[in-house]
């Protein structure tokens, strides 16, 4: 079994290039794969490897400026869920496009998973899912509002169009691991919302800590690696991935006439050109050839 660690930390970094190389070197030297994003606002990402390898990377991150108290969420995977290790420099570690948003200044009130059910069951509380539409589609909390956004950067415009719906309500927000809520709750505070709450540790921590028989979660939780989704207890889910559009696919989705493995699904058939699909077919052919040789294709 591989250890999978999802992490983020908002903390000011000055010299990103000086942090990038040593972090990548530690991960590579210990056989750890995944993606870590570095920006002047902090670090975000998911990594996987042996227990010892992941611990080495986490220990290194804790030596970086402001990261001594780093927290992360762990799960397991039967197969390595990443093809390679990437440490990328970005403008934001989660892209919202709001330069005045600063989670280090203020965020909503954290709610532990064991207290979440009581909060979202209160009729005076509006529950908002801050994730993308394709994530919400395969699972969400009972009664949650779906903003139907295709990216997190669309959330501020959605709020401006819909804020009157929530007048007089307390707002409870959630996302996969908690990082989007750090920004979205700060944004709502800046918009004058008095009471804003968010699920500490996100959906992943809730699914880990709250027994299935007590859960208000319905479906599975999309994750950004080869597992595609996880369920209660963070066990690997039943979804696959469309490698054209990166959306999750159910067993029924794969029986649709527009589904072609590695090339298209019913949702993205009209989003790509014939030339794009030919490239996807060639990529899939190379993946299959590598698999037949007992090798791992970097695009697989």
């Amino acid at each position: 079994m591989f250890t999978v660690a999802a992490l983020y930390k908002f903390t000011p970094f000055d010299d990103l290039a000086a942090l990038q190389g040593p972090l990548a070197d530690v991960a590579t030297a210990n056989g750890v794969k995944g993606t870590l994003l570095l920006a002047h606002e902090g670090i975000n990402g998911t990594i996987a490897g042996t227990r010892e390898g992941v611990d080495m990377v986490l220990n290194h991150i804790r030596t970086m400026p402001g990261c001594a108290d780093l927290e992360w969420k762990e799960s397991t995977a039967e197969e390595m869920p990443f093809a390679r290790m990437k440490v990328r420099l970005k403008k934001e570690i989660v892209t919202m496009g709001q330069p005045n948003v600063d989670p280090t200044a203020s965020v909503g009130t954290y709610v532990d998973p064991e207290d979440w059910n009581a909060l979202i069951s209160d009729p005076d509380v509006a529950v908002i899912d801050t994730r993308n539409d394709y994530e919400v589609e395969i699972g969400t909390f009972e009664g949650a509002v779906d903003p139907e956004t295709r990216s997190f950067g669309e959330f501020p415009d959605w709020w401006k169009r819909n804020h009157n719906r929530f007048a007089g309500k307390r707002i409870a927000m959630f996302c996969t691991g908690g990082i989007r809520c750090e920004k979205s709750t700060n944004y709502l505070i800046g918009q004058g919302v008095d009471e804003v709450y968010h699920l500490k540790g996100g959906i992943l921590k809730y699914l880990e800590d709250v027994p299935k028989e007590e859960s208000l979660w319905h479906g599975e939780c999309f994750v950004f690696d080869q597992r595609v989704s996880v369920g209660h207890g963070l066990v690997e889910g039943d979804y696959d991935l469309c490698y054209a559009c990166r959306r999750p696919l159910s067993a029924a989705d794969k029986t649709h006439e527009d589904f072609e493995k590695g090339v298209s699904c019913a949702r993205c058939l009209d989003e790509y050109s014939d030339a794009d699909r030919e490239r996807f077919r060639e990529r899939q052919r190379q993946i299959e050839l590598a698999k037949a040789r007992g090798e791992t294709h970097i695009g697989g």
Side-chain angles (χ1 to χ4, degrees):
M1 297 292 285
F2 290 92
T3 298
V4 182
L7 60 97
Y8 72 87
K9 177 69 176 180
F10 284 99
T11 183
F13 289 152
D14 294 325
D15 191 347
L16 298 179
L19 298 174
Q20 182 184 28
L23 179 55
D25 290 343
V26 169
T28 302
N30 288 279
V32 173
K33 299 179 181 180
T35 299
L36 292 171
L37 305 180
L38 296 175
H40 289 296
E41 65 182 7
I43 184 170
N44 175 33
T46 305
I47 56 174
T50 64
R51 171 77 272 167
E52 295 78 9
V54 168
D55 284 344
M56 290 294 289
V57 176
L58 295 175
N59 288 340
H60 177 84
I61 294 173
R62 286 199 293 265
T63 69
M64 293 165 58
C67 292
D69 59 348
L70 177 76
E71 295 183 4
W72 64 90
K73 288 160 287 296
E74 288 191 1
S75 55
T76 58
E78 293 184 2
E79 298 180 2
M80 168 56 78
F82 300 103
R84 55 184 173 176
M85 185 67 218
K86 296 175 285 187
V87 181
R88 293 179 169 173
L89 305 186
K90 306 284 283 187
K91 290 184 178 180
E92 299 179 69
I93 56 174
V94 58
T95 303
M96 194 181 199
Q98 298 291 312
N100 294 326
V101 166
D102 180 9
T104 63
S106 64
V107 294
T109 301
Y110 293 105
V111 180
D112 291 325
E114 58 267 28
D115 300 321
W116 183 250
N117 287 356
L119 176 68
I120 68 174
S121 297
D122 189 323
D124 292 329
V125 173
V127 187
I128 301 176
D129 194 330
T130 66
R131 300 171 302 149
N132 300 336
D133 52 6
Y134 61 87
E135 299 173 76
V136 180
E137 183 178 333
I138 70 170
T140 192
F141 281 107
E142 186 175 306
V145 174
D146 176 10
E148 300 181 2
T149 51
R150 296 190 64 180
S151 70
F152 187 47
E154 296 178 3
F155 181 83
D157 286 340
W158 175 84
W159 176 258
K160 290 175 182 177
R161 295 192 307 270
N162 290 273
H163 67 93
N164 289 332
R165 294 169 51 188
F166 307 104
K169 294 279 190 179
R170 295 185 291 159
I171 305 296
M173 312 180 83
F174 65 93
C175 58
T176 306
I179 186 170
R180 292 185 219 186
C181 291
E182 301 280 349
K183 284 195 169 183
S184 60
T185 58
N186 177 268
Y187 174 76
L188 260 61
I189 291 170
Q191 296 296 305
V193 180
D194 293 328
E195 292 190 68
V196 188
Y197 303 85
H198 54 133
L199 177 58
K200 187 175 182 180
I203 301 162
L204 295 178
K205 189 62 175 171
Y206 181 93
L207 293 177
E208 180 181 11
D209 289 356
V210 176
K212 185 175 182 180
E213 58 272 17
E214 298 175 13
S215 175
L216 295 181
W217 175 264
H218 298 290
E220 297 181 11
C221 178
F222 182 85
V223 290
F224 294 87
D225 59 58
Q226 299 291 349
R227 294 173 299 168
V228 184
S229 67
V230 297
H232 287 90
L234 299 182
V235 297
E236 293 186 46
D238 297 323
Y239 283 81
D240 287 327
L241 201 66
C242 173
Y243 287 98
C245 66
R246 314 299 293 182
R247 295 184 179 100
L249 298 172
S250 67
D253 291 330
K254 291 185 288 183
T255 66
H256 195 282
E257 62 181 2
D258 292 330
F259 172 71
E260 182 179 349
K261 185 177 180 180
V263 178
S264 66
C265 69
R267 294 179 181 85
C268 72
L269 186 67
D270 296 328
E271 295 179 2
Y272 297 100
S273 66
D274 289 341
D276 289 331
R277 283 189 286 274
E278 283 304 314
R279 287 191 296 104
F280 299 157
R281 288 189 184 97
E282 177 59 23
R283 177 186 60 189
Q284 185 62 29
R285 189 177 76 85
Q286 295 299 326
I287 291 170
E288 296 296 338
L289 287 172
K291 184 177 180 181
R293 294 192 297 264
E295 301 171 355
T296 300
H297 188 272
I298 198 69

